[in-house]
Amino acid sequence: MANDTTTAPKRGRAAAATDAPPAPQDPREAVAPLLAPRHQRTVGHLHALAAAPPQVVLAEGGAAPERMALALYWAALLNCEAPEGDGTDGARPCLACPACLRMAGGGHRDLIVLDGNKPSAEEGSFSIDNVRALRGLLGEPPREARRRVVVLVDAHTRVEAANGLLKSLEEPRPTTCFVLLAPQRERLLPTLVSRSFVLTLAWPTDADPPSPAVRGWLDALVEFIQTGGGWMERTSRKGDLDAPLAAAVVLHCQRTLADVLAGRAADPLGRLLAERMDLARLRRCDEALAAAQEALSLSPSPVNPALVMDWLATRLFLGVR
Ligand SMILES: [Zn+2]
């Protein structure tokens, strides 16, 4: 099965939805999103964990490219061939040795990436078939790396496949490290979270407050949820709401919801949701936000952003009643 490229999970980086084999990337570029100052603490945690790596690391928070960068950095850190303890802080991962080049840069045979955003038929998707093939592979030692690294991108989008994977996790294999990437731990099965060492990346908006345009839409959303008015007039104005702006509004709502779920202080929208929704409703709200995000990122032709936002606002309006 090792040479069966038609059914084996795709090895290497699979962040971009493309049929072409992943082109090796400059490892420094690949991990750069993680090296922003706001992630310094998280990087410190990774280094502390590397001495005795947990079987599963769950990376939540941040933006998708930052979570992916964390996975690649971790894969390089676990396999870097640079000498240890040469006195320089952070000598590993060196991002220059053969292991780093192919782990962080993509294309290493022992780096397996399954992406929950890919259609099931596509190579490297988080499909039942690929999980089954992966489980077979896990019975074998890594080909050349010290540790095989299995990255599950947006694991929450494939509940059945995640269940299949859980079974393989019941027999710990110290030579394999899993990295689960998800926007929030609440979106994964509790049994999966309880097996994981959770690292929370700083949300992008922590350093980057919403723009006035996003703020305006958020205020309008709060008004609509409370009164049922003002929103549709706003979205029907042609040209006011493009897909990137709508996606930014949705991202901010997701961050707000994460604050609410974590019991952190939230903005007016968060306070409204916290007051009016129980946990089951908050979860449905989270699902609606994820569906809106997905609709807005569909390529090549995104769904009309005004329609997506009308649908989302209606779901939130009904959700508090
Ligand atoms: Zn290295």
Side-chain angles (χ1 to χ4, degrees), residues 3-312:
N3 294 321
D4 185 355
T5 53
T6 56
T7 57
K10 181 173 174 179
R11 292 162 184 80
R13 203 160 169 276
T18 164
D19 291 336
Q25 210 187 345
D26 177 345
R28 287 173 199 284
E29 214 170 281
V31 304
L34 181 69
L35 302 182
R38 68 176 180 277
H39 299 315
Q40 210 174 355
R41 273 188 64 225
T42 307
V43 172
H45 287 314
L46 288 176
H47 281 266
L49 290 173
Q55 196 190 7
V56 189
V57 168
L58 161 58
E60 63 166 2
E66 293 165 335
R67 296 193 292 269
M68 191 63 201
L70 181 147
L72 298 174
Y73 186 90
W74 180 234
L77 181 61
L78 293 176
N79 288 291
C80 178
E81 292 158 9
E84 212 174 357
D86 67 351
T88 346
D89 224 6
R92 283 182 175 186
C94 70
L95 301 175
C97 72
C100 280
L101 285 175
R102 289 182 301 140
M103 279 290 180
H108 199 294
R109 295 202 298 170
D110 293 314
L111 172 68
I112 296 156
V113 180
L114 298 187
D115 190 339
N117 294 309
K118 289 191 166 189
S120 288
E122 214 169 284
E123 201 188 348
S125 74
F126 195 2
S127 65
I128 301 269
D129 282 350
N130 279 346
V131 169
R132 197 174 291 137
L134 171 61
R135 288 176 65 191
L137 189 69
L138 294 179
E140 303 164 22
R143 301 274 184 273
E144 42 188 315
R146 279 200 298 275
R147 290 181 200 273
R148 175 190 285 127
V149 177
V150 178
V151 184
L152 305 176
V153 182
D154 282 359
H156 59 285
T157 58
R158 296 286 185 276
V159 175
E160 272 181 70
N163 271 330
L165 180 76
L166 262 179
K167 293 199 179 102
S168 69
L169 294 187
E170 276 160 16
E171 308 149 39
R173 296 183 192 283
T175 53
T176 297
C177 294
F178 289 87
V179 188
L180 305 185
L181 308 181
Q184 296 138 245
R185 71 183 85 182
E186 288 81 7
R187 289 162 75 168
L188 288 169
L189 298 173
T191 43
L192 207 49
V193 177
S194 67
R195 284 161 192 264
S196 308
F197 192 99
V198 183
L199 291 173
T200 305
L201 287 162
W203 285 82
T205 43
D206 287 350
D208 188 12
S211 67
V214 171
R215 176 49 58 203
W217 281 98
L218 292 168
D219 292 344
L221 188 58
V222 169
E223 189 200 330
F224 178 72
I225 294 171
Q226 286 173 321
T227 68
W231 181 264
M232 306 293 174
E233 294 84 337
R234 219 183 145 99
T235 53
S236 63
R237 259 179 262 143
K238 213 174 154 68
D240 269 12
L241 184 65
D242 59 9
L245 178 57
V249 173
V250 171
L251 178 70
H252 190 90
C253 292
Q254 288 177 312
R255 196 229 149 163
T256 293
L257 187 64
D259 283 342
V260 171
L261 288 167
R264 288 189 293 263
D267 64 3
L269 174 64
R271 287 197 294 275
L272 177 63
L273 299 182
E275 271 168 31
R276 309 273 287 268
M277 289 187 176
D278 59 12
L279 191 59
R281 283 168 182 246
L282 288 170
R283 281 189 195 286
R284 284 202 292 278
C285 172
D286 178 47
E287 285 163 13
L289 286 166
Q293 186 192 46
E294 201 180 324
L296 290 167
S297 62
L298 284 179
S299 63
S301 54
V303 183
N304 179 339
L307 289 180
V308 175
M309 296 310 277
D310 282 352
W311 175 83
L312 177 65

